[in-house]
Amino acid sequence: MTGTSALTEASASARKMVDPFGRSISYLRVSVTDRCDLRCFYCMSEDMTFLPKVDLLTLEELDRLCSAFIAKGVRKLRLTGGEPLVRRNVMSLFHSLSRHLQTGALNELTLTTNGSQLARFASELKDCGVRRINVSLDTLDPTKFREITRWGDMQKVMAGIDAAQAAGLAVKINAVALKGLNEDEIPSLMEWAHGRGMALTLIEVMPMGDIGQSRTDQYLPLSMVRARLASQYTLTDLDDSTGGPARYVRVSETGGKLGFITPMTHNFCESCNRVRITCTGTLHTCLGHEDASDLRRPLRASASDDLLYETIDRAIGLKPKGHDFIIDRHNRPSVSRHMSVTGG
Ligand code: SAM
């Protein structure tokens, strides 16, 4: 093979990802660890078994994997977990991935975090080109926070949010709507977030992973939350999409943005542009399906990315049309993976 044809072949194998339903894949979420320093009761069971560290991809391998996806058209990259900021040396991954922002190959590098370690890392994240982050926080009540997270300290999260804003990062708050737990608090959580210039996105709880508790007891449909908010506030639908699954409204009284992620009452699969990889290099093309493709083997099989590209293309070719999460009366999870494995 001549040099030129080898080149043509390599770039052909890094072709863009379009699934059988014509959806272009441009958004990758990477769970860099399944471990977390909190144990939110709707996310994990109390006695979670975590992956042996030897099964994890190294940070260098994660960089190579992310870079392969960027070569195949990913424009937005979100690191998540588990808690991404508890992975040892994770900032070196942010630093190395930031080169794709500098070349313009990547539009956005971001993360989802519980905020507990953010005070230490906020300004370094900003230095790496991170502009916006999502912080998960379901309550402003320290006792409830402890109850939800099993042992978390809300002050650390608040210090993390302060540090992020001081560093110039735009912060969006994500809160899971939980029946009987934070449902009465949603207006005050929204007013607090908007008062600090932060958007708030509410999320319906999904039946992912066995957590040893009834999902029926947790599930609060956002259609109900929205109706209640609409009786107190003026909500105007916004058209803008950030490439994620949330639908946004502007709240006239606060001036802030409120998002709704409704995997249960209305799925958003028709516009899905996302795939996910876990810290062991497993590719999931749909959050709500058991589909899984191993990318670790082709990654380690050769220094060239051709086999990796082929495996990715095969998986994208099987991306399901959509998901239907169901909370059944036996409380069986729709998907056996915990959210902490797949990455939120
Ligand atoms: N540790 C980080 C954090 O707390 O944001 C990232 C991982 S966490 C799994 C990502 C998001 O998923 C969080 O906002 C969390 O509340 C949400 N989450 C976890 N389990 C969920 C479930 N079963 N249904 C809906 N959201 C869930």
Side-chain angles (χ1 to χ4, degrees), residues 18-312:
V18 180
D19 79 1
F21 306 96
R23 296 170 299 190
S24 292
I25 308 305
S26 56
Y27 185 179
L28 175 68
R29 295 189 179 205
V30 183
S31 174
V32 298
T33 173
D34 63 328
R35 288 165 199 256
C36 188
D37 51 355
L38 302 179
R39 288 288 179 282
C40 299
F41 74 91
Y42 56 80
C43 183
M44 294 185 178
S45 63
E46 191 159 13
D47 54 347
M48 286 291 284
T49 311
F50 294 106
L51 291 163
K53 289 199 174 133
V54 291
D55 286 353
L56 266 55
L57 296 184
T58 64
L59 294 173
E60 291 73 19
E61 287 172 324
L62 281 170
D63 179 287
R64 186 175 150 208
L65 204 45
C66 292
S67 302
F69 274 91
I70 293 167
K72 288 182 69 54
V74 159
R75 307 285 299 163
K76 177 168 174 175
L77 179 57
R78 178 178 298 280
L79 302 193
T80 175
E83 172 47 41
L85 297 181
V86 301
R87 170 106 193 221
R88 189 195 292 222
N89 219 3
V90 72
M91 290 314 298
S92 68
L93 181 60
F94 277 99
H95 279 287
S96 67
L97 289 172
S98 70
R99 72 187 183 281
H100 297 297
L101 291 171
Q102 281 149 19
T103 63
L106 195 60
N107 285 348
E108 184 168 20
L109 174 62
T110 185
L111 87 154
T112 300
T113 173
N114 64 28
S116 63
Q117 312 290 321
L118 202 48
R120 278 161 62 200
F121 295 119
S123 53
E124 202 173 343
L125 285 167
K126 184 76 196 305
D127 293 343
C128 294
V130 174
R131 294 286 166 264
R132 307 185 296 166
I133 62 170
N134 289 353
V135 177
S136 304
L137 179 64
D138 304 321
T139 179
L140 293 176
D141 174 339
T143 312
K144 244 186 234 179
F145 183 84
R146 190 163 282 270
E147 200 183 318
I148 292 172
T149 61
R150 292 197 173 99
W151 57 63
D153 175 359
M154 205 182 80
Q155 284 324 311
K156 285 193 186 158
V157 179
M158 290 301 169
I161 293 171
D162 289 344
Q165 290 196 307
L169 294 170
V171 178
K172 179 164 79 68
I173 302 294
N174 282 344
V176 177
L178 298 162
K179 183 155 88 184
L181 249 177
N182 63 1
E183 59 179 298
D184 294 339
E185 224 194 310
I186 289 173
S188 50
L189 193 57
M190 179 183 80
E191 297 215 7
W192 167 79
H194 290 179
R196 292 188 54 147
M198 306 184 291
L200 170 70
T201 296
L202 301 171
I203 307 172
E204 283 175 341
V205 79
M206 291 174 274
M208 297 194 60
D210 187 358
I211 50 159
Q213 287 187 26
S214 156
R215 290 287 182 190
T216 323
D217 295 347
Q218 305 171 351
Y219 173 55
L220 179 63
L222 286 184
S223 47
M224 199 186 270
V225 174
R226 186 176 167 146
R228 277 190 216 149
L229 286 169
S231 69
Q232 272 179 274
Y233 300 92
T234 317
L235 311 181
T236 310
D237 284 316
L238 293 175
D239 263 349
D240 58 332
S241 161
T242 50
R247 282 175 302 160
Y248 287 97
V249 297
R250 173 81 54 204
V251 182
S252 304
E253 289 75 4
T254 61
K257 257 170 81 168
L258 176 65
F260 298 91
I261 300 185
T262 53
M264 305 300 295
T265 51
H266 175 271
N267 80 32
F268 31 72
C269 306
E270 61 284 354
S271 61
C272 184
N273 59 354
R274 290 170 294 285
V275 294
R276 295 171 158 83
I277 44 184
T278 68
C279 55
T280 54
T282 302
L283 172 65
H284 297 292
T285 60
C286 177
L287 183 63
H289 275 263
E290 298 284 2
D291 81 290
S293 307
D294 175 29
L295 300 184
R296 187 174 55 183
R297 199 188 49 79
L299 184 83
R300 289 183 175 170
S302 128
S304 145
D305 285 337
D306 288 349
L307 190 56
L308 185 59
Y309 291 147
E310 253 173 56
T311 315
I312 295 171

